[in-house]
Amino acid sequence: MASTKEWFESVAEAQRRAKRRLPKSVYGALVAGAERGGTLDDNVRAFGELGLIPRIATGLGGGRELATTVLGQEVSLPVVVSPAGVQAVHPEGEVAVARAAAASGTAMGLSSFASKPIEEVAAANPKVFFQTYWMGTRERMVHVMDRARTAGAQGLIVTLDWTFAHRRDWGSPAIPERLDLKTMARLAPEVLLRPRWLADWARGGGAPDLAVPNVAGPGEPPPSFFGAYGEWMMTPPATWPDIAWMREAWGGPFLVKGIMHPDDARRAVEIGADAISVSNHGGNNVDSTPASIRALPGIVDAVGDHVEVLLDGGIRRGSDVVKALALGARAVLIGRAYLWGMAANGEAGVHNVLEILRAGIDETLVGLGRASIHDLTPRDVLMAPGFAIHDGAGASSPA
């Protein structure tokens, strides 16, 4: 079925539409990767190095089983929306994403740097996981966690794969401190070239609000993005005992995001994490980190069934999801893909992306002769020479 004005048939088409619709700086922020972008590119390229081994004459009919659970929440497909900070691609932001995820029967992660309050997002989708960083005082962190719990967050995601890497070889789009008259005048030429994006914001009540409401202290107004970012930068880095304290303070389902080394996966199990996400922050952390999918098999080998293993990074089609599941992931998190969908067509565009992935997973299962995502094994995947996994002892070995 070919794409139409209101529907697109691939994530690649969503990206093309997002590029046409968004101001240059906003689109640039979505596709950014640290330094030369090596990790960003490898996240996608590595999936292309993995083959699939079809089976024929399997007699497979009827519907395939795509449902699973993540952090205790039932989801209708093994794809969860990853948390992403201040979303300037559409005025409804995370609330629209929450509704789209709910329509597809899945959960979403809400960034602590989100543009919408967690109360509004949880009202739109009760399957919400709140994401936070190790930032501020422990008292502040407890307040933020308590607020998320009261609002209905079903789990906590702590993100650790970020070292404040800002350098981009091609130049980073400037993120303003606030949208005052001077800033709007500077951005006006590129915004005027995207009248539909401008019209969306005009109908939505005005320019994007760069405040982050979910990290405010008791009785405080929401800080600006850079105000919160500055507090985060000034907070001494976390240690594993700190993360163990956070896990205890939260008291519910707990996911550690940013695992790329088997030793860290084992430490997450030791502190009582319920889940981990194999992630390199979408290529925005330490450049030259391998693709998440390259690290996945070694991490699965390290932790076995002691923790749910998710994967984040490079998912562009349903067959990518199937490859990750065959190599041991319970589910995947998507980031850029749904943001491109929202830029292309708002809430409907996010739902469109999720349904593209659902259809791709189903079609791939048919080709592999698998009736369920739970039947997938590494034998369904062909790993080419040079596809390396970390052995946990400081060296790489071929898969």
Side-chain angles (χ1 to χ4, degrees):
M1 179 179 178
S3 296
T4 67
K5 182 179 178 181
E6 297 299 327
W7 185 86
F8 40 86
E9 62 179 345
S10 69
V11 172
E13 176 63 18
Q15 182 180 1
R16 287 190 290 270
R17 294 188 186 193
K19 186 175 183 179
R20 291 196 300 266
R21 191 179 185 98
L22 294 175
K24 181 179 179 181
S25 294
V26 178
Y27 179 75
L30 292 187
V31 297
E35 295 186 329
R36 68 182 179 87
T39 297
L40 173 68
D41 292 341
D42 196 41
N43 272 346
V44 176
R45 182 174 58 247
F47 279 102
E49 296 177 22
L50 291 169
L52 291 168
I53 307 172
R55 301 293 299 271
I56 61 172
T58 61
L60 187 64
R64 266 62 58 191
E65 182 185 13
L66 273 61
T68 189
T69 59
V70 176
L71 290 179
Q73 297 300 302
E74 295 183 1
V75 292
S76 70
L77 75 166
V79 180
V80 173
V81 171
S82 187
V86 183
Q87 295 180 5
V89 298
H90 192 278
E92 292 189 304
E94 295 86 0
V95 174
V97 176
R99 290 196 298 259
S104 288
T106 194
M108 72 170 289
L110 177 70
S111 172
S112 55
F113 279 31
S115 59
K116 301 295 184 184
I118 184 170
E119 293 80 6
E120 293 182 20
V121 176
N125 186 345
K127 297 179 182 180
V128 63
F129 307 134
F130 184 71
Q131 177 274 338
T132 189
Y133 301 97
W134 181 262
M135 60 176 283
T137 65
R138 290 195 177 197
E139 181 182 12
R140 170 70 67 85
M141 290 183 226
V142 167
H143 168 75
V144 169
M145 288 188 283
D146 284 348
R147 177 182 171 186
R149 188 186 301 106
T150 300
Q154 301 298 316
L156 189 75
I157 300 171
V158 56
T159 299
L160 300 175
D161 55 343
W162 184 251
T163 53
F164 305 103
H166 307 105
R167 291 157 302 286
R168 308 284 184 267
D169 285 7
W170 51 271
S172 298
I175 300 175
E177 174 72 26
R178 61 184 61 84
L179 288 175
D180 53 21
L181 289 175
K182 182 179 179 181
T183 301
M184 287 190 281
R186 177 174 60 82
L187 295 174
E190 62 178 84
V191 171
L192 291 174
L193 291 173
R194 298 292 185 266
R196 289 187 298 167
W197 181 86
L198 183 60
D200 284 342
W201 283 97
R203 287 192 296 268
D209 185 355
L210 299 181
V212 286
N214 293 311
V215 296
E220 296 178 355
S224 68
F225 174 87
F226 282 105
Y229 192 81
E231 181 180 23
W232 178 23
M233 288 184 70
M234 297 303 294
T235 303
T239 63
W240 280 109
D242 292 326
I243 303 307
W245 169 85
M246 179 179 277
R247 195 262 173 275
E248 185 69 22
W250 171 252
F254 188 83
L255 184 152
V256 177
K257 186 174 183 292
I259 301 290
M260 286 296 294
H261 195 293
D263 287 349
D264 286 339
R266 296 184 187 100
R267 295 300 298 271
V269 172
E270 289 172 3
I271 63 100
D274 300 287
I276 59 176
S277 179
V278 181
S279 171
N280 51 41
H281 214 99
N284 276 292
N285 191 27
V286 179
D287 200 23
S288 294
T289 301
S292 302
I293 191 69
R294 297 189 193 277
L296 177 64
I299 289 172
V300 170
D301 286 346
V303 299
D305 296 328
H306 294 292
V307 68
E308 296 178 12
V309 179
L310 281 69
L311 178 125
D312 179 2
I315 300 293
R316 299 292 184 268
R317 48 192 62 84
S319 59
D320 295 340
V321 180
V322 169
K323 290 172 183 178
L325 270 54
L327 294 181
R330 176 181 289 254
V332 303
L333 295 158
I334 60 167
R336 289 180 176 88
Y338 82 83
L339 290 170
W340 289 330
M342 184 159 64
N345 196 24
E347 178 184 333
V350 179
H351 181 61
N352 194 157
V353 164
L354 288 166
E355 294 309 306
I356 286 168
L357 296 176
R358 186 195 304 276
I361 296 167
D362 186 75
E363 292 159 3
T364 307
L365 288 178
V366 173
L368 296 177
R370 298 296 191 186
S372 168
I373 58 171
H374 304 290
D375 296 336
L376 293 165
T377 76
R379 296 188 63 185
D380 293 308
V381 177
L382 178 66
M383 287 189 274
F387 192 93
I389 59 175
H390 204 289
D391 64 10
S396 292
S397 59

